[in-house]
Amino acid sequence: MNRGFIRWALAAVGMLTAAQSFGQNYPTRPVTIIVPFAAGGPTDVIARITGEYFSKALGQQFVIENVAGAGGTTGTTRLAQAKPDGYSIMMGHMGTHGAAPALYAGLKYDPQKDFAPIGLVAGTPILIVAKKDFPAANLKEFVAKLKDPAAKIKQAHAGVGSVSFTTCTLLTSQLGVKNIVAAYRGTGPALNDLVGGQVDYMCDQIVNVVEQVKGGSIRAYGIATAERSPALPDVPTTKEGGLPEYQVSAWNALFAPQGLPKEIHAKLADTLVQALEDPNTRKRLAELGSVIPDKAGRSPEALAALVKSEVARWTPILKAAQTAVK
Ligand code: ASP
């Protein structure tokens, strides 16, 4: 055998071993989970619960970095442009990876091309929630108020393209009304103002509102799913409340930048599957009303398919609602 070939073969084996051990040893330093909204909101809470499991399971801290702005697209752009080395991942959601392309003509990322999907973490039913002294006894009366221009109802959301924006846009376009809106950097801070009575209502992911609805600091007019949630069994569905056409749920999921090494991708995806089997993690997510995906629904492939179908679902709805941001 010629010496050149032996040298080449040895170098190739060396490179292969280095690449494998790079993946096997991962992570060797802290990992950043970008949350594209303010601290305290649903995306942040779900990321912190997931991150705690990952930190324990993989022996390095998974640290949350809140990169809020532009309905979650600022943080998502940051992740799309990050090095695909496994040390930057994000907690995205239906807004950042489903709705945003229809709303931002100059969006700097493609949800279907620029990410390595890791897996779905939680389904999050949507609730219509209002300040506690909102003058409506039920969903029907609430809808009547929304339709009354003299009532000057003020809706809170987490920025154009966010879940709250998107799902309330669906509601107002179904009802043919226009609200005064207040944009926040996440529904965590929006919720504070709802509790304080500075805004009238919002449409938000269940994870953000269970505690306040139970405690009575806000009121819930309906949950937009076919069944009531075990986390809030007293809240009627929109169908029960007389608004059956308003059916909508959101979700949160982990993504890495496209180009993630295969071994690292597999390690992160496997860890997520285990996290969602872990009784403590499951309990914490379920208490907040999250719908935990079954095993098949946790795979990177399932998430890629979800992103594709969500972009296809939301684009015509949002275009029709004429909310395109130039
Ligand atoms: N739930 C928020 C939204 O409307 C975001 C957040 O604060 O997590 O997209």
Side-chain angles (χ1 to χ4, degrees):
M1 219 180 289
N2 97 24
R3 255 202 239 144
F5 174 77
I6 293 174
R7 230 180 288 134
W8 173 86
L10 284 174
V13 168
M15 267 158 65
L16 205 66
T17 320
Q20 272 168 352
S21 64
F22 173 66
Q24 267 156 20
N25 295 339
Y26 167 85
T28 57
R29 56 187 170 86
V31 174
T32 299
I33 306 180
I34 293 177
V35 167
F37 293 100
T43 308
D44 184 72
V45 167
I46 292 174
R48 281 173 205 274
I49 294 172
T50 313
E52 267 177 46
Y53 182 89
F54 274 64
S55 301
K56 258 189 259 152
L58 297 179
Q60 287 288 342
Q61 282 306 308
F62 278 64
V63 184
I64 305 296
E65 190 184 344
N66 298 89
V67 184
T73 60
T74 304
T76 310
T77 303
R78 169 92 68 91
L79 197 266
Q81 294 169 353
K83 215 168 154 196
D85 57 3
Y87 291 94
S88 300
I89 59 175
M90 82 174 290
M91 187 61 76
H93 73 359
M94 189 204 81
T96 56
H97 286 74
L103 296 162
Y104 290 90
L107 194 65
K108 292 199 182 70
Y109 62 86
D110 180 335
Q112 298 182 70
K113 290 195 186 132
D114 296 336
F115 302 89
I118 295 169
L120 184 62
V121 180
T124 58
I126 296 296
L127 280 94
I128 302 171
V129 289
K131 61 182 183 184
K132 68 171 185 299
D133 53 359
F134 191 93
N138 52 42
L139 185 58
K140 276 207 178 108
E141 289 184 21
F142 172 79
V143 167
K145 277 274 172 229
L146 274 198
K147 287 184 170 170
D148 175 9
K152 293 201 167 56
I153 301 302
K154 197 167 178 188
Q155 177 208 110
H157 64 63
V160 172
S162 65
V163 163
S164 42
F165 171 91
T166 306
T167 56
C168 257
T169 297
L170 181 65
L171 177 71
T172 53
S173 64
Q174 281 178 353
L175 298 174
V177 299
K178 237 185 166 45
N179 292 146
I180 304 162
V181 291
Y184 291 80
R185 293 167 75 78
T187 46
L191 181 64
N192 290 341
D193 275 9
L194 192 66
V195 171
Q198 286 93 325
V199 289
D200 293 308
Y201 86 104
M202 66 178 177
C203 308
D204 200 19
Q205 299 175 266
I206 190 165
V207 172
N208 202 31
V209 299
V210 167
E211 210 179 292
Q212 283 74 10
V213 171
K214 276 186 173 164
S217 58
I218 58 172
R219 60 190 305 170
Y221 285 114
I223 182 164
T225 41
E227 308 284 333
R228 292 187 181 202
S229 167
L232 283 174
D234 295 336
V235 175
T237 64
T238 46
K239 192 170 172 208
E240 289 174 71
L243 200 61
E245 65 277 25
Y246 189 60
Q247 289 288 315
V248 63
S249 272
W251 46 267
N252 282 88
L254 284 176
F255 295 89
Q258 188 56 272
L260 190 67
K262 237 168 91 196
E263 296 80 7
I264 295 177
H265 196 178
K267 197 172 255 189
L268 288 168
D270 289 349
T271 307
L272 178 60
V273 170
Q274 289 158 24
L276 297 178
E277 282 303 300
D278 172 57
N280 178 45
T281 308
R282 287 180 75 88
K283 182 169 171 275
R284 291 172 70 194
L285 289 171
E287 276 171 358
L288 295 169
S290 302
V291 179
I292 297 166
D294 60 15
K295 277 213 177 119
R298 292 172 206 167
S299 70
E301 296 74 28
L303 179 55
L306 178 66
V307 168
K308 189 174 177 208
S309 66
E310 287 287 80
V311 171
R313 175 165 85 116
W314 282 103
T315 301
I317 294 174
L318 293 166
K319 296 263 189 224
Q322 292 182 318
T323 44
V325 175
K326 298 291 163 220

